[in-house]
């Protein structure tokens, strides 16, 4: 495949590839719900764009909620500790909940959220992650819906950041380790 670049960055997945994948994921999620209602819980901020697109491809009665956690510092390395910075607005007891995350990396964030949410006794709790880096896993956790499985690369764009930048890139790009900031 020819290397595509965007603003001098190497593109890993184009907006077209992302759009097709998100539609596919949405169709599967809707099918698994059997016409029951859904609460989508986006993990801020990285999952905001993914949630916005995914929601529009899930053809069921859906509401949104958002949580914010801190696990990453400002750089590419995880600090290890996960903390809830913004909690759910509405109780999720008895509801079909879908956690929407940009990327499943070490698994620390999602295993923490899963534990906290399960205490509230949702009817179902599933996870949709656009990207998965299985080789980086520390906690044993898998997403129910994965867009793309990738090797240990640091990616930016389509919501994902490096030091809060690049979230607005329409494509998913590679952050080169030596990229000039
Ligand atoms: P985990 O707790 O290690 O699974 O980390 C999940 C979070 O780390 C994601 O929600 C992202 O915000 C962030 N993260 C992990 N890998 C990357 C990456 O390659 N680019 C941008 N953010 C990442
Ligand atoms: Mg995140």
């Amino acid at each position: 495949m020819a290397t595509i670049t965007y603003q001098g960055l190497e593109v890993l997945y184009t907006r077209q590839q992302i759009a097709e994948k998100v539609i596919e994921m949405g169709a599967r999620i809707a099918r698994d719900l059997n016409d029951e209602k859904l609460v989508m819980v986006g993990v801020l901020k990285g999952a905001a764009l993914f949630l916005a697109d995914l929601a529009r491809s899930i053809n069921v009665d859906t509401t949104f909620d958002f949580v914010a956690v801190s696990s990453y510092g400002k750089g590419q390395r995880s600090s290890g500790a996960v903390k809830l910075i913004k909690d759910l607005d509405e109780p999720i007891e008895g509801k079909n909940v879908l956690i929407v995350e940009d990327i499943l990396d070490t698994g620390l964030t999602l295993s923490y959220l899963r534990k906290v949410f399960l205490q509230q006794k949702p009817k179902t709790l599933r996870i949709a992650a656009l990207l998965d880096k299985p080789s980086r896993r520390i906690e044993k956790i898998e997403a129910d819906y994965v867009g793309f499985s990738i090797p240990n690369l640091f990616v930016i764009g389509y919501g994902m950041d490096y030091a809060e930048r690049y979230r607005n890139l329409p494509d998913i790009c590679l952050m080169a380790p030596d990229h000039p900031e």
Side-chain angles (χ1 to χ4, degrees):
M1 190 180 88
T3 304
I4 307 161
T5 59
Y6 182 84
Q7 295 187 3
L9 295 157
E10 192 179 330
V11 174
L12 186 59
Y13 296 109
T14 63
R15 59 204 84 179
Q16 181 70 32
Q17 289 172 309
I18 299 166
E20 284 167 14
K21 184 61 76 176
V22 170
I23 287 169
E24 218 178 275
M25 293 175 83
R28 280 182 49 217
I29 292 164
R31 205 181 317 128
D32 292 350
L33 279 164
N34 292 314
D35 278 331
E36 289 185 27
K37 290 183 187 175
L38 176 67
V39 183
M40 297 177 77
V41 178
V43 185
L44 294 171
K45 304 170 197 164
L49 276 60
F50 176 42
L51 184 141
D53 287 339
L54 186 63
R56 284 176 284 184
S57 69
I58 300 177
N59 192 16
V60 301
D61 188 339
T62 299
T63 57
F64 298 166
D65 208 336
F66 292 94
V67 292
V69 295
S70 68
S71 66
Y72 267 71
K74 285 195 160 61
Q76 295 189 9
R77 213 162 286 247
S78 172
S79 67
V82 182
K83 204 171 74 180
L84 200 57
I85 293 170
K86 186 220 167 288
D87 205 344
L88 293 165
D89 291 335
E90 299 289 332
I92 53 168
E93 187 176 345
K95 308 239 171 104
N96 293 304
V97 176
L98 180 69
I99 306 179
V100 181
E101 176 62 310
D102 52 0
I103 177 159
L104 175 50
D105 188 32
T106 64
L108 289 164
T109 306
L110 281 171
S111 39
Y112 170 80
L113 287 176
R114 183 176 59 181
K115 190 184 78 191
V116 171
F117 290 175
L118 282 176
Q119 287 166 356
Q120 289 199 35
K121 307 217 179 322
K123 180 175 180 191
T124 60
L125 181 65
R126 296 196 179 102
I127 296 170
L130 180 61
L131 299 177
D132 185 12
K133 287 194 230 175
S135 68
R136 294 256 309 157
R137 208 72 94 247
I138 293 171
E139 291 286 335
K140 195 176 170 329
I141 185 160
E142 296 304 326
D144 301 274
Y145 310 97
V146 172
F148 304 100
S149 198
I150 63 168
N152 183 15
L153 302 166
F154 199 86
V155 294
I156 50 175
Y158 195 67
M160 290 169 283
D161 74 308
Y162 174 73
E164 294 300 327
R165 295 175 58 207
Y166 306 108
R167 292 194 195 273
N168 63 320
L169 299 182
D171 308 297
I172 296 175
C173 300
L174 288 181
M175 179 85 211
D178 55 355
H179 190 269
E181 291 169 34

